[in-house]
Amino acid sequence: MHAQENSIGQPKAESQPKSKALSGLNSKQKEAVLTLNGPLLILAGAGAGKTKTVTHRILNLIENGVAPESILAITFTNKAAKEMRERVEHLLKDSREMNLPIHNFSKPFLSTFHSLCVNILKESGLAIGIPRHFTIYDKSDSKQAIKEAINSLGYDIKLVEPNKIMSIISREKSNFSSLGEYEAVNGEDHFGAIVVAVWRKYAEALFNEKALDFDDLLYKTAVLLKSKPEIRAQYQNRFKYIHIDEYQDTNGIQYELARLLVGPEHNIAVVGDIDQAIYSWRGANIKNIMKFEEDYPEAKVILLEENYRSTKTILSAANEIIKKNIFRKEKNLFTNNEDGELITLYNAYDENDEANHVANTARDLIKEGNGKGDTDIKPESIAVLYRTNSQSRALEEAFLRKGIQYQLLGTRFFERREVKDVISYARAALNPESLADIKRIINTPVRGIGKVTLLKIMARQTGDLPSGTKIKVDAFYKLLADIKNQIETQRPSTAIKYIIEKTGIESALKAENDKEEDRVGNVRELVTLATRFDDLPGQEGIEKLIEDAVLASDQDSLNEKTAKNNGEGVKLMTVHASKGLEFDYVFITGLEQDLFPSGRSNESKSGEDSEEERRLFYVAITRARKKLYLSYANMRTIFGSKQINLPSEFIADISDELIDRDEEEVVSGIKSIFIDF
């Protein structure tokens, strides 16, 4: 038990408050709310009421004498911060109406990391040369500044990819690594030296414009607090009690900020779930939450294991999946909810069969109910989850064909940048006079053809071009002629493959290394889509593909507008995008080896990627309240070729008695395949 404080501004005692601070809480939640002093680690399972616990703890602190303005709560998204703020304000309003002795005007500081840092820098940033009215660069501003830095240094922009440089700079800042530290390690390397030079020019541009990029907001705040002890003490004295939500998602700089803000009393409460750590590709470091007790040896650890969201069946499956991970804190979710329906497993012939099955089942749920008494099922209570964005195409088409209202979270397939680029190459090859397409692709990937050259091309004045530039332009139009020849003489799928490879789009996308968006997978999915037109004669197949792309895009826009206006529609999204959401009925599709789990996890020597894939599946399962549907395809067309698939090892990890299946022998085969896992 931590020492009790009775001085002004400190908790009076860890005792039952007069208000409803403990109302509606289970025993573990109450324990967290009543633990007011010292470091506290709350390991909160999916659906365990962590936001309720944090907000009630804030209320209890205030009612025990802590000034609201001395309480800080940080979360990761504006939406989460807004929800927490509204809940706290509602609780405080109820307490004031009960005439409890709390401050009437001050409020806790509830925000995101970035918002907190903006406030700190505006107040105190001048101490390290940052004016109060600094500009914040968004991603496009940063990219433009990086491009200008590359050009000013005389580097070939075809070889020095701006996105790659941006990614490296962002990664280093997120790990609290400075330009000088990066140079000391990488400065002797050829590409490292280029990064150093571009970074230095970029930093000069930011300084001259009195600007900070998104990463600087956190990085510069950490520099300020670390280098200026008097300012650090000022904020430690202001924020006596600190709460950090989703602590498993913190990266290096966020971890450093938390340690710098915590005062000598170590009044820090962090909330998180190791089993839901799925953002390593964003720089999140699961080790931060794992070593909390090492950082604060006196820490109290409380497990929130009672789930209020899902049925017993769904939770049993989730527990069976996650228990195979080694890098975690032991936790076992339980619920007082009903047993619920068994998990349905569907073995599809291919991705189109799977998509049709999902769409048909969703349609039946909406029209007829679940056959178990739930007859009023709204489309928005249904979600379809997939591992990669490229899987959405077949699902979208199935929902469109069957007239089921849906909303795609994320960019629509045919509106994705890389897909539009490939389509534009095909259109320009068939019609070199299409200036809109020429403008889009002439520097995609970058060829060193500038704006002046482009204007002359559009003005039909290519004869006036310098000889070096004319060689580049002629090579571009030669490429279009070669693509046209492919379109006229080869199958559509072969022609699309040719475009992806010969234009350099595929290698450029690989260089971007954007794990959040599987862009290479998206253009390869376009090859798969093109195979359906392979039987059409001549260039008719490509023309039909282009036509479908335009029509599908228009239809998608209409569908999205309708869904947004009415707040309706079955939700289609990646598993990553679903974190923090919940739905009555959830479909998890594409449960095949090397798809989910991703093939990248097999290449990891440490096994950390494999464990993250398992955590990702755990997140997917725990989105469901009432019913879970799993599906996999025996064959899936990848990059235009039929591929035979093994079912995901995850399926074999779920007990037979939890699954409803039509073909027992299929599942028996799955179990035998993965008997050694």
Short mmCIF file of all heavy atoms in Angstrom, two decimals, residues 470-527:
data_model
loop_
_atom_site.label_atom_id
_atom_site.label_comp_id
_atom_site.label_asym_id
_atom_site.label_seq_id
_atom_site.Cartn_x
_atom_site.Cartn_y
_atom_site.Cartn_z
N LYS A 470 15.06 15.87 -74.22
CA LYS A 470 14.31 15.22 -75.30
C LYS A 470 14.54 13.70 -75.28
O LYS A 470 13.62 12.92 -75.57
CB LYS A 470 14.71 15.79 -76.66
CG LYS A 470 13.76 15.38 -77.79
CD LYS A 470 14.05 16.17 -79.05
CE LYS A 470 12.98 15.90 -80.10
NZ LYS A 470 12.76 14.48 -80.38
N ILE A 471 15.74 13.28 -74.92
CA ILE A 471 16.02 11.85 -74.82
C ILE A 471 15.11 11.20 -73.77
O ILE A 471 14.55 10.12 -73.98
CB ILE A 471 17.51 11.61 -74.48
CG1 ILE A 471 18.39 11.98 -75.68
CG2 ILE A 471 17.76 10.17 -74.06
CD1 ILE A 471 19.88 11.98 -75.36
N LYS A 472 14.94 11.89 -72.64
CA LYS A 472 14.08 11.37 -71.57
C LYS A 472 12.63 11.29 -72.03
O LYS A 472 11.92 10.31 -71.78
CB LYS A 472 14.17 12.25 -70.32
CG LYS A 472 15.52 12.25 -69.63
CD LYS A 472 15.50 13.20 -68.44
CE LYS A 472 16.87 13.27 -67.78
NZ LYS A 472 16.88 14.23 -66.65
N VAL A 473 12.17 12.35 -72.71
CA VAL A 473 10.78 12.38 -73.18
C VAL A 473 10.54 11.31 -74.24
O VAL A 473 9.52 10.60 -74.22
CB VAL A 473 10.43 13.78 -73.72
CG1 VAL A 473 9.04 13.76 -74.38
CG2 VAL A 473 10.47 14.81 -72.60
N ASP A 474 11.50 11.17 -75.16
CA ASP A 474 11.37 10.15 -76.20
C ASP A 474 11.33 8.75 -75.59
O ASP A 474 10.57 7.88 -76.05
CB ASP A 474 12.53 10.25 -77.20
CG ASP A 474 12.43 11.48 -78.09
OD1 ASP A 474 11.33 12.08 -78.13
OD2 ASP A 474 13.44 11.84 -78.73
N ALA A 475 12.14 8.54 -74.55
CA ALA A 475 12.16 7.23 -73.88
C ALA A 475 10.81 6.96 -73.22
O ALA A 475 10.32 5.81 -73.23
CB ALA A 475 13.27 7.19 -72.83
N PHE A 476 10.20 8.00 -72.68
CA PHE A 476 8.88 7.84 -72.05
C PHE A 476 7.84 7.42 -73.09
O PHE A 476 7.06 6.49 -72.88
CB PHE A 476 8.47 9.15 -71.37
CG PHE A 476 7.04 9.16 -70.90
CD1 PHE A 476 6.63 8.41 -69.82
CD2 PHE A 476 6.09 9.93 -71.57
CE1 PHE A 476 5.30 8.42 -69.40
CE2 PHE A 476 4.77 9.96 -71.16
CZ PHE A 476 4.37 9.20 -70.07
N TYR A 477 7.83 8.12 -74.24
CA TYR A 477 6.85 7.78 -75.28
C TYR A 477 7.16 6.43 -75.93
O TYR A 477 6.24 5.74 -76.39
CB TYR A 477 6.77 8.90 -76.32
CG TYR A 477 5.88 10.04 -75.86
CD1 TYR A 477 6.43 11.19 -75.30
CD2 TYR A 477 4.50 9.94 -75.94
CE1 TYR A 477 5.61 12.23 -74.85
CE2 TYR A 477 3.67 10.96 -75.50
CZ TYR A 477 4.23 12.10 -74.95
OH TYR A 477 3.41 13.10 -74.50
N LYS A 478 8.43 6.06 -75.96
CA LYS A 478 8.79 4.71 -76.44
C LYS A 478 8.21 3.66 -75.48
O LYS A 478 7.70 2.61 -75.92
CB LYS A 478 10.32 4.59 -76.51
CG LYS A 478 10.84 3.17 -76.79
CD LYS A 478 10.45 2.69 -78.20
CE LYS A 478 11.22 1.45 -78.63
NZ LYS A 478 11.14 0.32 -77.70
N LEU A 479 8.27 3.95 -74.18
CA LEU A 479 7.68 3.04 -73.19
C LEU A 479 6.18 2.89 -73.41
O LEU A 479 5.64 1.77 -73.37
CB LEU A 479 7.96 3.56 -71.78
CG LEU A 479 7.31 2.80 -70.62
CD1 LEU A 479 7.80 1.35 -70.56
CD2 LEU A 479 7.60 3.50 -69.29
N LEU A 480 5.49 4.01 -73.68
CA LEU A 480 4.05 3.95 -73.95
C LEU A 480 3.77 3.11 -75.20
O LEU A 480 2.80 2.34 -75.24
CB LEU A 480 3.48 5.36 -74.13
CG LEU A 480 3.42 6.26 -72.88
CD1 LEU A 480 2.72 7.57 -73.21
CD2 LEU A 480 2.71 5.55 -71.73
N ALA A 481 4.61 3.25 -76.22
CA ALA A 481 4.44 2.47 -77.46
C ALA A 481 4.63 0.98 -77.17
O ALA A 481 3.88 0.13 -77.70
CB ALA A 481 5.42 2.94 -78.53
N ASP A 482 5.61 0.65 -76.33
CA ASP A 482 5.83 -0.75 -75.97
C ASP A 482 4.64 -1.31 -75.18
O ASP A 482 4.24 -2.46 -75.37
CB ASP A 482 7.11 -0.88 -75.12
CG ASP A 482 8.37 -0.60 -75.93
OD1 ASP A 482 8.29 -0.64 -77.18
OD2 ASP A 482 9.42 -0.33 -75.32
N ILE A 483 4.08 -0.47 -74.31
CA ILE A 483 2.91 -0.90 -73.54
C ILE A 483 1.73 -1.14 -74.49
O ILE A 483 0.99 -2.13 -74.35
CB ILE A 483 2.55 0.15 -72.47
CG1 ILE A 483 3.62 0.18 -71.39
CG2 ILE A 483 1.18 -0.15 -71.85
CD1 ILE A 483 3.47 1.32 -70.39
N LYS A 484 1.57 -0.24 -75.45
CA LYS A 484 0.48 -0.41 -76.41
C LYS A 484 0.64 -1.72 -77.18
O LYS A 484 -0.35 -2.45 -77.42
CB LYS A 484 0.44 0.76 -77.39
CG LYS A 484 -0.75 0.67 -78.36
CD LYS A 484 -0.82 1.88 -79.28
CE LYS A 484 -2.04 1.76 -80.19
NZ LYS A 484 -2.13 2.89 -81.14
N ASN A 485 1.86 -2.05 -77.57
CA ASN A 485 2.11 -3.30 -78.28
C ASN A 485 1.73 -4.50 -77.40
O ASN A 485 1.15 -5.48 -77.88
CB ASN A 485 3.58 -3.39 -78.68
CG ASN A 485 3.91 -4.68 -79.40
OD1 ASN A 485 3.37 -4.96 -80.48
ND2 ASN A 485 4.78 -5.49 -78.82
N GLN A 486 2.06 -4.42 -76.11
CA GLN A 486 1.68 -5.48 -75.18
C GLN A 486 0.16 -5.61 -75.09
O GLN A 486 -0.39 -6.72 -75.09
CB GLN A 486 2.24 -5.17 -73.78
CG GLN A 486 3.75 -5.35 -73.65
CD GLN A 486 4.15 -6.81 -73.60
OE1 GLN A 486 3.55 -7.61 -72.89
NE2 GLN A 486 5.17 -7.17 -74.37
N ILE A 487 -0.53 -4.48 -75.02
CA ILE A 487 -1.99 -4.48 -74.93
C ILE A 487 -2.61 -5.14 -76.16
O ILE A 487 -3.59 -5.89 -76.06
CB ILE A 487 -2.51 -3.04 -74.75
CG1 ILE A 487 -2.15 -2.53 -73.35
CG2 ILE A 487 -4.03 -2.96 -74.98
CD1 ILE A 487 -2.46 -1.06 -73.13
N GLU A 488 -2.02 -4.86 -77.33
CA GLU A 488 -2.58 -5.36 -78.59
C GLU A 488 -2.25 -6.83 -78.83
O GLU A 488 -2.99 -7.52 -79.53
CB GLU A 488 -2.06 -4.51 -79.75
CG GLU A 488 -2.60 -3.10 -79.74
CD GLU A 488 -1.97 -2.23 -80.82
OE1 GLU A 488 -0.85 -2.58 -81.29
OE2 GLU A 488 -2.56 -1.19 -81.16
N THR A 489 -1.15 -7.30 -78.26
CA THR A 489 -0.69 -8.66 -78.61
C THR A 489 -0.76 -9.67 -77.46
O THR A 489 -0.67 -10.87 -77.70
CB THR A 489 0.77 -8.62 -79.11
OG1 THR A 489 1.61 -8.10 -78.07
CG2 THR A 489 0.89 -7.73 -80.35
N GLN A 490 -0.90 -9.17 -76.22
CA GLN A 490 -0.89 -10.07 -75.06
C GLN A 490 -2.22 -10.03 -74.31
O GLN A 490 -3.05 -9.14 -74.52
CB GLN A 490 0.25 -9.68 -74.10
CG GLN A 490 1.64 -9.68 -74.73
CD GLN A 490 2.08 -11.07 -75.13
OE1 GLN A 490 1.74 -12.07 -74.50
NE2 GLN A 490 2.87 -11.14 -76.21
N ARG A 491 -2.39 -10.99 -73.43
CA ARG A 491 -3.57 -10.99 -72.58
C ARG A 491 -3.54 -9.77 -71.65
O ARG A 491 -2.45 -9.30 -71.28
CB ARG A 491 -3.63 -12.27 -71.74
CG ARG A 491 -3.78 -13.54 -72.58
CD ARG A 491 -3.80 -14.76 -71.68
NE ARG A 491 -2.59 -14.85 -70.84
CZ ARG A 491 -2.42 -15.75 -69.88
NH1 ARG A 491 -3.36 -16.64 -69.64
NH2 ARG A 491 -1.30 -15.75 -69.17
N PRO A 492 -4.69 -9.26 -71.20
CA PRO A 492 -4.72 -8.10 -70.30
C PRO A 492 -3.86 -8.28 -69.05
O PRO A 492 -3.14 -7.36 -68.66
CB PRO A 492 -6.20 -7.96 -69.96
CG PRO A 492 -6.91 -8.50 -71.15
CD PRO A 492 -6.05 -9.64 -71.63
N SER A 493 -3.92 -9.47 -68.44
CA SER A 493 -3.15 -9.68 -67.22
C SER A 493 -1.65 -9.58 -67.49
O SER A 493 -0.89 -9.03 -66.68
CB SER A 493 -3.49 -11.03 -66.58
OG SER A 493 -3.18 -12.09 -67.47
N THR A 494 -1.21 -10.08 -68.63
CA THR A 494 0.20 -10.00 -69.00
C THR A 494 0.60 -8.55 -69.26
O THR A 494 1.69 -8.11 -68.87
CB THR A 494 0.49 -10.85 -70.25
OG1 THR A 494 0.10 -12.20 -70.00
CG2 THR A 494 1.96 -10.81 -70.62
N ALA A 495 -0.27 -7.80 -69.91
CA ALA A 495 0.01 -6.39 -70.20
C ALA A 495 0.11 -5.58 -68.91
O ALA A 495 0.99 -4.71 -68.78
CB ALA A 495 -1.08 -5.82 -71.11
N ILE A 496 -0.77 -5.84 -67.96
CA ILE A 496 -0.71 -5.13 -66.68
C ILE A 496 0.58 -5.48 -65.94
O ILE A 496 1.24 -4.60 -65.35
CB ILE A 496 -1.95 -5.44 -65.82
CG1 ILE A 496 -3.22 -4.92 -66.50
CG2 ILE A 496 -1.81 -4.83 -64.42
CD1 ILE A 496 -3.29 -3.42 -66.65
N LYS A 497 0.96 -6.75 -65.96
CA LYS A 497 2.25 -7.15 -65.36
C LYS A 497 3.40 -6.37 -66.00
O LYS A 497 4.31 -5.90 -65.31
CB LYS A 497 2.49 -8.65 -65.58
CG LYS A 497 1.87 -9.57 -64.56
CD LYS A 497 2.33 -11.00 -64.83
CE LYS A 497 1.64 -11.99 -63.91
NZ LYS A 497 2.06 -13.39 -64.19
N TYR A 498 3.35 -6.26 -67.31
CA TYR A 498 4.39 -5.55 -68.05
C TYR A 498 4.47 -4.09 -67.59
O TYR A 498 5.57 -3.56 -67.35
CB TYR A 498 4.09 -5.62 -69.55
CG TYR A 498 5.15 -4.99 -70.42
CD1 TYR A 498 6.24 -5.73 -70.86
CD2 TYR A 498 5.05 -3.65 -70.81
CE1 TYR A 498 7.22 -5.15 -71.67
CE2 TYR A 498 6.01 -3.07 -71.61
CZ TYR A 498 7.10 -3.82 -72.04
OH TYR A 498 8.06 -3.25 -72.83
N ILE A 499 3.32 -3.45 -67.45
CA ILE A 499 3.28 -2.05 -67.01
C ILE A 499 3.93 -1.91 -65.63
O ILE A 499 4.77 -1.04 -65.40
CB ILE A 499 1.83 -1.52 -66.98
CG1 ILE A 499 1.27 -1.42 -68.39
CG2 ILE A 499 1.76 -0.17 -66.28
CD1 ILE A 499 -0.21 -1.10 -68.45
N ILE A 500 3.54 -2.79 -64.72
CA ILE A 500 4.03 -2.73 -63.34
C ILE A 500 5.55 -2.88 -63.28
O ILE A 500 6.23 -2.17 -62.55
CB ILE A 500 3.34 -3.81 -62.48
CG1 ILE A 500 1.85 -3.50 -62.33
CG2 ILE A 500 4.00 -3.93 -61.10
CD1 ILE A 500 1.05 -4.64 -61.74
N GLU A 501 6.06 -3.79 -64.11
CA GLU A 501 7.49 -4.09 -64.06
C GLU A 501 8.32 -3.10 -64.87
O GLU A 501 9.33 -2.56 -64.40
CB GLU A 501 7.74 -5.52 -64.55
CG GLU A 501 7.15 -6.58 -63.62
CD GLU A 501 7.14 -7.97 -64.25
OE1 GLU A 501 7.52 -8.09 -65.43
OE2 GLU A 501 6.74 -8.93 -63.56
N LYS A 502 7.92 -2.85 -66.12
CA LYS A 502 8.75 -2.06 -67.03
C LYS A 502 8.74 -0.57 -66.72
O LYS A 502 9.70 0.14 -67.03
CB LYS A 502 8.32 -2.29 -68.48
CG LYS A 502 8.54 -3.72 -68.97
CD LYS A 502 10.01 -4.09 -68.92
CE LYS A 502 10.24 -5.52 -69.43
NZ LYS A 502 11.67 -5.90 -69.36
N THR A 503 7.65 -0.07 -66.13
CA THR A 503 7.61 1.35 -65.80
C THR A 503 8.43 1.66 -64.55
O THR A 503 8.76 2.83 -64.29
CB THR A 503 6.16 1.81 -65.53
OG1 THR A 503 5.64 1.07 -64.41
CG2 THR A 503 5.29 1.61 -66.75
N GLY A 504 8.75 0.63 -63.76
CA GLY A 504 9.47 0.84 -62.51
C GLY A 504 8.56 1.08 -61.33
O GLY A 504 9.02 1.37 -60.22
N ILE A 505 7.24 0.95 -61.54
CA ILE A 505 6.29 1.18 -60.45
C ILE A 505 6.52 0.20 -59.30
O ILE A 505 6.56 0.58 -58.13
CB ILE A 505 4.84 1.08 -60.97
CG1 ILE A 505 4.46 2.35 -61.74
CG2 ILE A 505 3.85 0.85 -59.82
CD1 ILE A 505 3.08 2.35 -62.33
N GLU A 506 6.71 -1.08 -59.65
CA GLU A 506 6.87 -2.09 -58.60
C GLU A 506 8.11 -1.83 -57.76
O GLU A 506 8.05 -1.85 -56.52
CB GLU A 506 6.93 -3.49 -59.22
CG GLU A 506 7.00 -4.59 -58.16
CD GLU A 506 6.91 -5.99 -58.79
OE1 GLU A 506 7.49 -6.20 -59.87
OE2 GLU A 506 6.25 -6.84 -58.20
N SER A 507 9.24 -1.56 -58.39
CA SER A 507 10.47 -1.34 -57.63
C SER A 507 10.38 -0.06 -56.80
O SER A 507 10.89 0.01 -55.68
CB SER A 507 11.67 -1.28 -58.57
OG SER A 507 11.50 -0.28 -59.55
N ALA A 508 9.70 0.96 -57.33
CA ALA A 508 9.54 2.21 -56.58
C ALA A 508 8.67 2.00 -55.34
O ALA A 508 8.95 2.53 -54.27
CB ALA A 508 8.92 3.28 -57.48
N LEU A 509 7.60 1.21 -55.49
CA LEU A 509 6.72 0.92 -54.35
C LEU A 509 7.46 0.12 -53.29
O LEU A 509 7.28 0.35 -52.09
CB LEU A 509 5.47 0.17 -54.82
CG LEU A 509 4.49 0.96 -55.67
CD1 LEU A 509 3.38 0.05 -56.19
CD2 LEU A 509 3.90 2.12 -54.89
N LYS A 510 8.29 -0.81 -53.72
CA LYS A 510 9.07 -1.60 -52.76
C LYS A 510 10.04 -0.71 -52.00
O LYS A 510 10.28 -0.91 -50.82
CB LYS A 510 9.82 -2.72 -53.48
CG LYS A 510 8.94 -3.87 -53.94
CD LYS A 510 9.75 -4.94 -54.66
CE LYS A 510 8.87 -6.11 -55.07
NZ LYS A 510 9.64 -7.13 -55.83
N ALA A 511 10.58 0.28 -52.68
CA ALA A 511 11.54 1.19 -52.04
C ALA A 511 10.87 2.06 -50.99
O ALA A 511 11.50 2.46 -50.01
CB ALA A 511 12.20 2.08 -53.09
N GLU A 512 9.56 2.33 -51.18
CA GLU A 512 8.84 3.15 -50.20
C GLU A 512 8.75 2.44 -48.85
O GLU A 512 8.69 3.07 -47.81
CB GLU A 512 7.43 3.48 -50.71
CG GLU A 512 7.41 4.54 -51.77
CD GLU A 512 6.00 4.94 -52.16
OE1 GLU A 512 5.06 4.62 -51.39
OE2 GLU A 512 5.83 5.54 -53.22
N ASN A 513 8.68 1.11 -48.88
CA ASN A 513 8.64 0.32 -47.64
C ASN A 513 7.53 0.78 -46.71
O ASN A 513 7.72 0.94 -45.51
CB ASN A 513 9.98 0.38 -46.91
CG ASN A 513 10.09 -0.66 -45.82
OD1 ASN A 513 9.48 -1.72 -45.93
ND2 ASN A 513 10.84 -0.37 -44.78
N ASP A 514 6.35 1.06 -47.28
CA ASP A 514 5.20 1.51 -46.49
C ASP A 514 4.41 0.30 -46.02
O ASP A 514 3.56 -0.22 -46.73
CB ASP A 514 4.31 2.43 -47.35
CG ASP A 514 3.23 3.12 -46.53
OD1 ASP A 514 3.01 2.69 -45.38
OD2 ASP A 514 2.62 4.08 -47.03
N LYS A 515 4.69 -0.15 -44.80
CA LYS A 515 4.04 -1.37 -44.30
C LYS A 515 2.55 -1.16 -44.02
O LYS A 515 1.78 -2.09 -43.98
CB LYS A 515 4.73 -1.85 -43.03
CG LYS A 515 6.15 -2.36 -43.27
CD LYS A 515 6.74 -2.91 -41.98
CE LYS A 515 8.15 -3.40 -42.19
NZ LYS A 515 8.73 -3.92 -40.94
N GLU A 516 2.18 0.11 -43.76
CA GLU A 516 0.77 0.37 -43.46
C GLU A 516 -0.10 0.08 -44.68
O GLU A 516 -1.21 -0.42 -44.56
CB GLU A 516 0.59 1.82 -43.02
CG GLU A 516 -0.84 2.16 -42.63
CD GLU A 516 -0.98 3.56 -42.09
OE1 GLU A 516 0.00 4.32 -42.09
OE2 GLU A 516 -2.08 3.91 -41.66
N GLU A 517 0.41 0.42 -45.85
CA GLU A 517 -0.31 0.18 -47.09
C GLU A 517 0.48 -0.82 -47.92
O GLU A 517 1.60 -0.53 -48.33
CB GLU A 517 -0.48 1.50 -47.86
CG GLU A 517 -1.50 2.45 -47.26
CD GLU A 517 -2.91 2.08 -47.63
OE1 GLU A 517 -3.10 1.21 -48.49
OE2 GLU A 517 -3.84 2.65 -47.04
N ASP A 518 -0.08 -1.97 -48.19
CA ASP A 518 0.61 -2.97 -49.01
C ASP A 518 0.40 -2.59 -50.47
O ASP A 518 -0.39 -3.19 -51.20
CB ASP A 518 0.05 -4.36 -48.71
CG ASP A 518 0.86 -5.45 -49.40
OD1 ASP A 518 1.87 -5.11 -50.05
OD2 ASP A 518 0.48 -6.62 -49.31
N ARG A 519 1.14 -1.56 -50.92
CA ARG A 519 0.90 -0.99 -52.25
C ARG A 519 1.31 -1.96 -53.36
O ARG A 519 0.67 -1.99 -54.41
CB ARG A 519 1.65 0.34 -52.37
CG ARG A 519 1.19 1.38 -51.35
CD ARG A 519 1.75 2.75 -51.66
NE ARG A 519 1.41 3.71 -50.62
CZ ARG A 519 0.23 4.33 -50.53
NH1 ARG A 519 -0.72 4.07 -51.41
NH2 ARG A 519 -0.01 5.17 -49.57
N VAL A 520 2.36 -2.72 -53.14
CA VAL A 520 2.74 -3.73 -54.13
C VAL A 520 1.63 -4.74 -54.28
O VAL A 520 1.26 -5.16 -55.39
CB VAL A 520 4.07 -4.41 -53.74
CG1 VAL A 520 4.37 -5.55 -54.71
CG2 VAL A 520 5.21 -3.41 -53.72
N GLY A 521 1.05 -5.15 -53.16
CA GLY A 521 -0.07 -6.09 -53.19
C GLY A 521 -1.26 -5.53 -53.95
O GLY A 521 -1.97 -6.27 -54.65
N ASN A 522 -1.46 -4.22 -53.86
CA ASN A 522 -2.59 -3.60 -54.57
C ASN A 522 -2.42 -3.66 -56.08
O ASN A 522 -3.36 -3.97 -56.82
CB ASN A 522 -2.77 -2.15 -54.10
CG ASN A 522 -3.28 -2.06 -52.68
OD1 ASN A 522 -3.90 -3.00 -52.16
ND2 ASN A 522 -3.02 -0.95 -52.02
N VAL A 523 -1.21 -3.35 -56.58
CA VAL A 523 -1.03 -3.39 -58.04
C VAL A 523 -1.03 -4.83 -58.54
O VAL A 523 -1.48 -5.10 -59.66
CB VAL A 523 0.26 -2.65 -58.48
CG1 VAL A 523 0.15 -1.16 -58.20
CG2 VAL A 523 1.50 -3.22 -57.84
N ARG A 524 -0.56 -5.74 -57.72
CA ARG A 524 -0.63 -7.15 -58.12
C ARG A 524 -2.07 -7.65 -58.14
O ARG A 524 -2.43 -8.50 -58.96
CB ARG A 524 0.22 -7.99 -57.16
CG ARG A 524 1.71 -7.77 -57.35
CD ARG A 524 2.55 -8.63 -56.43
NE ARG A 524 3.96 -8.53 -56.78
CZ ARG A 524 4.92 -9.20 -56.16
NH1 ARG A 524 4.62 -9.99 -55.14
NH2 ARG A 524 6.17 -9.07 -56.54
N GLU A 525 -2.89 -7.09 -57.25
CA GLU A 525 -4.31 -7.45 -57.27
C GLU A 525 -4.96 -6.97 -58.56
O GLU A 525 -5.90 -7.59 -59.07
CB GLU A 525 -5.02 -6.83 -56.05
CG GLU A 525 -6.52 -7.10 -55.97
CD GLU A 525 -6.87 -8.57 -55.79
OE1 GLU A 525 -5.98 -9.38 -55.44
OE2 GLU A 525 -8.05 -8.92 -56.00
N LEU A 526 -4.46 -5.89 -59.13
CA LEU A 526 -4.97 -5.41 -60.41
C LEU A 526 -4.68 -6.43 -61.51
O LEU A 526 -5.49 -6.61 -62.43
CB LEU A 526 -4.35 -4.05 -60.74
CG LEU A 526 -4.96 -3.29 -61.92
CD1 LEU A 526 -6.44 -3.00 -61.68
CD2 LEU A 526 -4.20 -1.98 -62.15
N VAL A 527 -3.53 -7.10 -61.43
CA VAL A 527 -3.23 -8.18 -62.38
C VAL A 527 -4.26 -9.30 -62.24
O VAL A 527 -4.78 -9.83 -63.23
CB VAL A 527 -1.80 -8.74 -62.15
CG1 VAL A 527 -1.53 -9.91 -63.10
CG2 VAL A 527 -0.76 -7.65 -62.36
#
